[in-house]
Amino acid sequence: MNIAILNIKDILKILIRLIIVIVSLITFLNLITNKIYISESIFKLSLQECLAEEISRATIKDKKDKLLANIDKEKILAVYAKNIVLTDEIKENKTKESQEEQVEEVITVENILPNIGITGVTTTPISERNIQEISTNIYGTVKIKNQSKYELTEETLRPDVEIENLRNVLIYHTHTCESYTPSEEYNYTMTGNYRVGLELANRLTENGFTVEHCTTMHDYPSYSGSYDRSEDTVKNLLYEKNTELVIDLHRDAVGDGTTYGPTVEINGEKVAQLMFVIGTDGGGLEHPNWIQNLKIAVKIQEKANEMYPGLFRPIVLRNSRYNQHLAKGACIIEVGATANTLKESLLSMQCLANVLSNI
């Protein structure tokens, strides 16, 4: 009797251990299966829908098997690929909408500007918001403020230079984030000076020019290094192109932002004054064609003084190079200053386009 009882106890212990093992095994399998299910469920919504469609045909009993063995993978991948394409299309459409909104804002401003003609122009100096002009040299009607280490001679300033491919123009902005004072009529978002570049490009294009206008921001997020970044941009844009007239459009930062806005009245409209800034190799950087840059600026300003007296302030000549070694007709043109309005600056671009069209 004792032996039989011991045998039954041993059997019960074995059965209990076996049950524990089976339960543990089932629990382990459930964990693995659930993990697989969870990993599958992190796909995008379209993928989940495919899984749901497959699972709905299964019973609770074979759900795990369906997930692991009978999922239509080709169908899932097809839907997933379609979802990616649709996502890209949505992003592209949003980008287009954003661009269209920006262009619409510029077009609205542009279309309501009064047109300034080429002939029969009357100009009147305006001292308000201006400062006294200072010049060190004069060539004909053109004044120069020489801040470089070089002495200027008549030979240096004589505009005896031809601009090849004048009607191919590159416009860019080293300091793209510069903007102008909003006004009641033009209460625009102050997001940069590309609008004046676009106005100049559009006016030149209407007059038969081929224009490339670059709106790349070179001074954001860091102002430091702007000229290094714009140099790379211009090099790439000029690669294998015979473009000589390269204009870096700026806005003068002189003054406290509210008091200085150099202006001239043309045909009864207030127009922001312009100013050439020409660099040299006086700072030590190689710049073999700075005299050509200067001569071309003198040539353009002579024509401007003939058409719109007072539109240009004296040319400023400095030791810094300003990336003007990259083209024969490279220059900086300062368009007004911080106190000028957007309208005044856009009107000056109309005048500049007319000047360049008559060189």
Side-chain angles (χ1 to χ4, degrees), residues 172-196:
Y172 72 105
H173 310 264
T174 293
H175 295 153
T176 322
C177 292
E178 294 171 335
S179 57
Y180 298 90
T181 299
S183 60
E184 183 177 350
E185 187 177 5
Y186 295 95
N187 190 19
Y188 75 108
T189 303
M190 298 173 66
T191 53
N193 63 4
Y194 66 88
R195 293 176 181 82
V196 296

mmCIF file of all heavy atoms in Angstrom, residues 172-196:
data_model
loop_
_atom_site.group_PDB
_atom_site.id
_atom_site.type_symbol
_atom_site.label_atom_id
_atom_site.label_comp_id
_atom_site.label_asym_id
_atom_site.label_seq_id
_atom_site.Cartn_x
_atom_site.Cartn_y
_atom_site.Cartn_z
ATOM 1 N N TYR A 172 21.105 88.738 -57.447
ATOM 2 C CA TYR A 172 21.065 87.933 -56.233
ATOM 3 C C TYR A 172 21.146 88.855 -55.022
ATOM 4 O O TYR A 172 21.260 90.081 -55.158
ATOM 5 C CB TYR A 172 22.194 86.893 -56.220
ATOM 6 C CG TYR A 172 23.578 87.447 -55.995
ATOM 7 C CD1 TYR A 172 24.227 87.308 -54.764
ATOM 8 C CD2 TYR A 172 24.276 88.101 -57.015
ATOM 9 C CE1 TYR A 172 25.507 87.808 -54.555
ATOM 10 C CE2 TYR A 172 25.558 88.592 -56.820
ATOM 11 C CZ TYR A 172 26.172 88.446 -55.590
ATOM 12 O OH TYR A 172 27.432 88.939 -55.384
ATOM 13 N N HIS A 173 21.080 88.264 -53.821
ATOM 14 C CA HIS A 173 21.061 89.050 -52.588
ATOM 15 C C HIS A 173 21.961 88.384 -51.552
ATOM 16 O O HIS A 173 21.614 87.314 -51.039
ATOM 17 C CB HIS A 173 19.638 89.146 -52.022
ATOM 18 C CG HIS A 173 18.599 89.562 -53.022
ATOM 19 N ND1 HIS A 173 18.183 90.862 -53.161
ATOM 20 C CD2 HIS A 173 17.895 88.837 -53.935
ATOM 21 C CE1 HIS A 173 17.257 90.925 -54.117
ATOM 22 N NE2 HIS A 173 17.069 89.708 -54.596
ATOM 23 N N THR A 174 23.093 88.984 -51.251
ATOM 24 C CA THR A 174 23.939 88.445 -50.182
ATOM 25 C C THR A 174 23.238 88.587 -48.836
ATOM 26 O O THR A 174 23.257 87.688 -48.003
ATOM 27 C CB THR A 174 25.302 89.154 -50.145
ATOM 28 O OG1 THR A 174 26.025 88.828 -51.340
ATOM 29 C CG2 THR A 174 26.123 88.722 -48.944
ATOM 30 N N HIS A 175 22.587 89.730 -48.630
ATOM 31 C CA HIS A 175 21.831 89.961 -47.390
ATOM 32 C C HIS A 175 20.343 89.946 -47.725
ATOM 33 O O HIS A 175 19.672 90.973 -47.784
ATOM 34 C CB HIS A 175 22.246 91.289 -46.747
ATOM 35 C CG HIS A 175 23.661 91.304 -46.280
ATOM 36 N ND1 HIS A 175 24.419 92.446 -46.179
ATOM 37 C CD2 HIS A 175 24.481 90.283 -45.903
ATOM 38 C CE1 HIS A 175 25.635 92.139 -45.751
ATOM 39 N NE2 HIS A 175 25.695 90.833 -45.576
ATOM 40 N N THR A 176 19.845 88.749 -47.937
ATOM 41 C CA THR A 176 18.479 88.563 -48.431
ATOM 42 C C THR A 176 17.420 88.992 -47.422
ATOM 43 O O THR A 176 16.300 89.341 -47.800
ATOM 44 C CB THR A 176 18.264 87.086 -48.809
ATOM 45 O OG1 THR A 176 19.445 86.570 -49.419
ATOM 46 C CG2 THR A 176 17.100 86.926 -49.768
ATOM 47 N N CYS A 177 17.740 88.950 -46.143
ATOM 48 C CA CYS A 177 16.735 89.227 -45.106
ATOM 49 C C CYS A 177 16.489 90.723 -44.890
ATOM 50 O O CYS A 177 15.615 91.088 -44.105
ATOM 51 C CB CYS A 177 17.158 88.590 -43.788
ATOM 52 S SG CYS A 177 17.129 86.783 -43.832
ATOM 53 N N GLU A 178 17.243 91.578 -45.548
ATOM 54 C CA GLU A 178 17.000 93.015 -45.414
ATOM 55 C C GLU A 178 15.620 93.356 -45.966
ATOM 56 O O GLU A 178 15.194 92.825 -46.988
ATOM 57 C CB GLU A 178 18.075 93.805 -46.171
ATOM 58 C CG GLU A 178 19.465 93.653 -45.582
ATOM 59 C CD GLU A 178 20.540 94.258 -46.467
ATOM 60 O OE1 GLU A 178 20.330 94.371 -47.690
ATOM 61 O OE2 GLU A 178 21.605 94.606 -45.933
ATOM 62 N N SER A 179 14.924 94.260 -45.293
ATOM 63 C CA SER A 179 13.585 94.629 -45.745
ATOM 64 C C SER A 179 13.365 96.124 -45.536
ATOM 65 O O SER A 179 14.250 96.838 -45.071
ATOM 66 C CB SER A 179 12.516 93.822 -44.997
ATOM 67 O OG SER A 179 12.651 94.004 -43.603
ATOM 68 N N TYR A 180 12.157 96.575 -45.880
ATOM 69 C CA TYR A 180 11.850 98.007 -45.881
ATOM 70 C C TYR A 180 10.702 98.328 -44.937
ATOM 71 O O TYR A 180 9.977 97.443 -44.476
ATOM 72 C CB TYR A 180 11.524 98.462 -47.310
ATOM 73 C CG TYR A 180 12.695 98.273 -48.243
ATOM 74 C CD1 TYR A 180 12.858 97.090 -48.947
ATOM 75 C CD2 TYR A 180 13.659 99.268 -48.396
ATOM 76 C CE1 TYR A 180 13.952 96.892 -49.783
ATOM 77 C CE2 TYR A 180 14.747 99.091 -49.221
ATOM 78 C CZ TYR A 180 14.892 97.902 -49.913
ATOM 79 O OH TYR A 180 15.996 97.714 -50.724
ATOM 80 N N THR A 181 10.525 99.607 -44.685
ATOM 81 C CA THR A 181 9.487 100.053 -43.766
ATOM 82 C C THR A 181 8.094 99.813 -44.357
ATOM 83 O O THR A 181 7.814 100.277 -45.465
ATOM 84 C CB THR A 181 9.662 101.556 -43.464
ATOM 85 O OG1 THR A 181 10.940 101.762 -42.854
ATOM 86 C CG2 THR A 181 8.562 102.045 -42.526
ATOM 87 N N PRO A 182 7.221 99.091 -43.658
ATOM 88 C CA PRO A 182 5.842 98.929 -44.149
ATOM 89 C C PRO A 182 5.116 100.277 -44.116
ATOM 90 O O PRO A 182 5.433 101.159 -43.317
ATOM 91 C CB PRO A 182 5.223 97.951 -43.147
ATOM 92 C CG PRO A 182 6.376 97.306 -42.461
ATOM 93 C CD PRO A 182 7.463 98.340 -42.428
ATOM 94 N N SER A 183 4.164 100.438 -44.990
ATOM 95 C CA SER A 183 3.349 101.652 -45.011
ATOM 96 C C SER A 183 1.885 101.249 -45.025
ATOM 97 O O SER A 183 1.549 100.063 -45.154
ATOM 98 C CB SER A 183 3.670 102.486 -46.260
ATOM 99 O OG SER A 183 3.402 101.748 -47.439
ATOM 100 N N GLU A 184 1.002 102.204 -44.915
ATOM 101 C CA GLU A 184 -0.430 101.904 -44.915
ATOM 102 C C GLU A 184 -0.837 101.243 -46.230
ATOM 103 O O GLU A 184 -1.659 100.333 -46.268
ATOM 104 C CB GLU A 184 -1.225 103.191 -44.699
ATOM 105 C CG GLU A 184 -2.732 102.972 -44.612
ATOM 106 C CD GLU A 184 -3.482 104.252 -44.315
ATOM 107 O OE1 GLU A 184 -2.834 105.278 -43.989
ATOM 108 O OE2 GLU A 184 -4.722 104.232 -44.411
ATOM 109 N N GLU A 185 -0.238 101.716 -47.308
ATOM 110 C CA GLU A 185 -0.564 101.173 -48.629
ATOM 111 C C GLU A 185 0.082 99.820 -48.858
ATOM 112 O O GLU A 185 -0.470 98.950 -49.528
ATOM 113 C CB GLU A 185 -0.090 102.160 -49.712
ATOM 114 C CG GLU A 185 -0.519 101.774 -51.124
ATOM 115 C CD GLU A 185 -0.083 102.820 -52.134
ATOM 116 O OE1 GLU A 185 0.623 103.779 -51.748
ATOM 117 O OE2 GLU A 185 -0.441 102.673 -53.320
ATOM 118 N N TYR A 186 1.279 99.620 -48.288
ATOM 119 C CA TYR A 186 2.026 98.372 -48.458
ATOM 120 C C TYR A 186 2.395 97.826 -47.075
ATOM 121 O O TYR A 186 3.555 97.858 -46.673
ATOM 122 C CB TYR A 186 3.284 98.604 -49.302
ATOM 123 C CG TYR A 186 2.979 99.012 -50.721
ATOM 124 C CD1 TYR A 186 2.945 100.349 -51.082
ATOM 125 C CD2 TYR A 186 2.704 98.053 -51.682
ATOM 126 C CE1 TYR A 186 2.646 100.731 -52.371
ATOM 127 C CE2 TYR A 186 2.401 98.424 -52.981
ATOM 128 C CZ TYR A 186 2.370 99.759 -53.316
ATOM 129 O OH TYR A 186 2.072 100.137 -54.598
ATOM 130 N N ASN A 187 1.410 97.355 -46.364
ATOM 131 C CA ASN A 187 1.640 96.803 -45.029
ATOM 132 C C ASN A 187 1.983 95.322 -45.175
ATOM 133 O O ASN A 187 1.226 94.442 -44.772
ATOM 134 C CB ASN A 187 0.409 96.994 -44.155
ATOM 135 C CG ASN A 187 0.692 96.663 -42.705
ATOM 136 O OD1 ASN A 187 1.846 96.631 -42.285
ATOM 137 N ND2 ASN A 187 -0.354 96.388 -41.947
ATOM 138 N N TYR A 188 3.145 95.066 -45.761
ATOM 139 C CA TYR A 188 3.528 93.711 -46.123
ATOM 140 C C TYR A 188 4.298 93.040 -44.980
ATOM 141 O O TYR A 188 4.709 93.682 -44.012
ATOM 142 C CB TYR A 188 4.397 93.738 -47.387
ATOM 143 C CG TYR A 188 5.815 94.220 -47.154
ATOM 144 C CD1 TYR A 188 6.888 93.323 -47.211
ATOM 145 C CD2 TYR A 188 6.108 95.558 -46.876
ATOM 146 C CE1 TYR A 188 8.186 93.750 -46.998
ATOM 147 C CE2 TYR A 188 7.396 95.986 -46.669
ATOM 148 C CZ TYR A 188 8.434 95.080 -46.728
ATOM 149 O OH TYR A 188 9.717 95.508 -46.519
ATOM 150 N N THR A 189 4.468 91.726 -45.097
ATOM 151 C CA THR A 189 5.269 90.980 -44.134
ATOM 152 C C THR A 189 6.737 91.210 -44.439
ATOM 153 O O THR A 189 7.186 90.949 -45.548
ATOM 154 C CB THR A 189 4.953 89.472 -44.220
ATOM 155 O OG1 THR A 189 3.555 89.285 -44.004
ATOM 156 C CG2 THR A 189 5.743 88.700 -43.175
ATOM 157 N N MET A 190 7.492 91.686 -43.456
ATOM 158 C CA MET A 190 8.896 92.036 -43.681
ATOM 159 C C MET A 190 9.755 90.774 -43.682
ATOM 160 O O MET A 190 10.384 90.411 -42.695
ATOM 161 C CB MET A 190 9.365 93.029 -42.620
ATOM 162 C CG MET A 190 8.600 94.337 -42.648
ATOM 163 S SD MET A 190 9.004 95.438 -41.277
ATOM 164 C CE MET A 190 10.710 95.839 -41.637
ATOM 165 N N THR A 191 9.771 90.097 -44.817
ATOM 166 C CA THR A 191 10.467 88.809 -44.915
ATOM 167 C C THR A 191 11.669 88.850 -45.837
ATOM 168 O O THR A 191 12.205 87.808 -46.186
ATOM 169 C CB THR A 191 9.502 87.729 -45.419
ATOM 170 O OG1 THR A 191 8.875 88.176 -46.634
ATOM 171 C CG2 THR A 191 8.451 87.415 -44.389
ATOM 172 N N GLY A 192 12.119 90.025 -46.253
ATOM 173 C CA GLY A 192 13.320 90.074 -47.083
ATOM 174 C C GLY A 192 13.202 91.070 -48.220
ATOM 175 O O GLY A 192 12.149 91.647 -48.469
ATOM 176 N N ASN A 193 14.332 91.264 -48.922
ATOM 177 C CA ASN A 193 14.377 92.249 -50.005
ATOM 178 C C ASN A 193 14.276 91.611 -51.387
ATOM 179 O O ASN A 193 14.546 92.267 -52.389
ATOM 180 C CB ASN A 193 15.661 93.086 -49.912
ATOM 181 C CG ASN A 193 16.931 92.250 -50.080
ATOM 182 O OD1 ASN A 193 16.858 91.051 -50.335
ATOM 183 N ND2 ASN A 193 18.078 92.876 -49.928
ATOM 184 N N TYR A 194 13.873 90.323 -51.439
ATOM 185 C CA TYR A 194 13.786 89.666 -52.738
ATOM 186 C C TYR A 194 12.750 90.329 -53.643
ATOM 187 O O TYR A 194 12.794 90.204 -54.864
ATOM 188 C CB TYR A 194 13.450 88.180 -52.564
ATOM 189 C CG TYR A 194 12.080 87.914 -51.999
ATOM 190 C CD1 TYR A 194 10.973 87.793 -52.833
ATOM 191 C CD2 TYR A 194 11.882 87.805 -50.630
ATOM 192 C CE1 TYR A 194 9.716 87.571 -52.315
ATOM 193 C CE2 TYR A 194 10.625 87.582 -50.107
ATOM 194 C CZ TYR A 194 9.550 87.467 -50.945
ATOM 195 O OH TYR A 194 8.293 87.250 -50.435
ATOM 196 N N ARG A 195 11.781 91.054 -53.049
ATOM 197 C CA ARG A 195 10.728 91.678 -53.861
ATOM 198 C C ARG A 195 11.299 92.732 -54.813
ATOM 199 O O ARG A 195 10.831 92.862 -55.936
ATOM 200 C CB ARG A 195 9.664 92.311 -52.948
ATOM 201 C CG ARG A 195 8.860 91.300 -52.150
ATOM 202 C CD ARG A 195 7.902 91.975 -51.195
ATOM 203 N NE ARG A 195 7.135 91.011 -50.415
ATOM 204 C CZ ARG A 195 7.578 90.419 -49.321
ATOM 205 N NH1 ARG A 195 8.798 90.705 -48.873
ATOM 206 N NH2 ARG A 195 6.845 89.544 -48.669
ATOM 207 N N VAL A 196 12.296 93.489 -54.329
ATOM 208 C CA VAL A 196 12.881 94.489 -55.228
ATOM 209 C C VAL A 196 13.650 93.800 -56.347
ATOM 210 O O VAL A 196 13.679 94.269 -57.489
ATOM 211 C CB VAL A 196 13.784 95.480 -54.462
ATOM 212 C CG1 VAL A 196 12.982 96.294 -53.464
ATOM 213 C CG2 VAL A 196 14.953 94.796 -53.789
#
